[in-house]
Amino acid sequence: MNQIQPGDPLVIILGLILLTFSIACPSAIAVFYFKNTFERKYEMAEAFFFPLVSLPYLAFFISPELIEGQPLPPDYFQSIIPLFGWFIDPVFKDAGLAVSPETSIITGLISDIGIFFEVLITLFVLCIIMRKIKETVDNVGS
């Protein structure tokens, strides 16, 4: 029977592509939504540096160690997704969805979606702060 296994190169490549989109899409959304926050000459630097905000989240994503064949630890999503993981872990535990991470694609999808929203929220907060700083500097300068 031809089944896709989690260790297959195709699954690894698709997982990396999904993780890349989970980082790049929030950056594009923030650049689009906060168009007038930065001057036009700094837009390229903004588009380059915004994805760097996701580096701490990638460190969380890579760091948890899992034992093959064992169910998810009770704080699995809290260790990967700091802002929303506290909400997701009890849902998995109460619903009986304690699946082994290497046999379920659900954990990967939830992790990538969580990283997407956390990077998006972080970028929105960063842009709001930068907008307030720009308004303050413009008001002092005039």
Side-chain angles (χ1 to χ4, degrees):
M1 188 179 269
N2 292 330
Q3 291 183 340
I4 296 176
Q5 298 298 321
D8 288 342
L10 178 63
V11 173
I12 294 170
I13 291 170
L14 291 176
L16 289 174
I17 289 172
L18 185 60
L19 184 61
T20 302
F21 278 112
S22 298
I23 294 167
C25 289
S27 301
I29 291 169
V31 168
F32 175 76
Y33 189 74
F34 293 97
K35 292 183 218 187
N36 300 324
T37 302
F38 299 97
E39 294 180 24
R40 182 149 177 85
K41 63 183 177 180
Y42 298 119
E43 285 180 352
M44 291 301 288
E46 174 187 10
F48 176 76
F49 285 112
F50 269 14
L52 295 179
V53 170
S54 66
L55 287 179
Y57 296 109
L58 290 179
F60 286 127
F61 188 75
I62 294 170
S63 65
E65 295 182 12
L66 300 172
I67 300 171
E68 188 173 341
Q70 298 295 317
L72 291 175
D75 62 344
Y76 176 73
F77 289 108
Q78 282 179 326
S79 62
I80 292 178
I81 312 167
L83 296 178
F84 297 112
W86 61 270
F87 176 73
I88 298 171
D89 280 329
V91 170
F92 260 67
K93 184 179 178 184
D94 293 343
L97 296 174
V99 295
S100 180
E102 73 274 354
T103 59
S104 174
I105 198 161
I106 294 172
T107 56
L109 288 175
I110 290 174
S111 301
D112 286 332
I113 291 169
I115 287 176
F116 171 84
F117 283 114
E118 292 201 2
V119 171
L120 185 64
I121 289 170
T122 305
L123 286 173
F124 271 31
V125 168
L126 180 67
C127 286
I128 289 169
I129 291 170
M130 294 302 290
R131 182 180 282 177
K132 293 293 181 189
I133 291 172
K134 181 182 177 194
E135 290 173 0
T136 304
V137 168
D138 290 345
N139 289 339
V140 170
S142 58

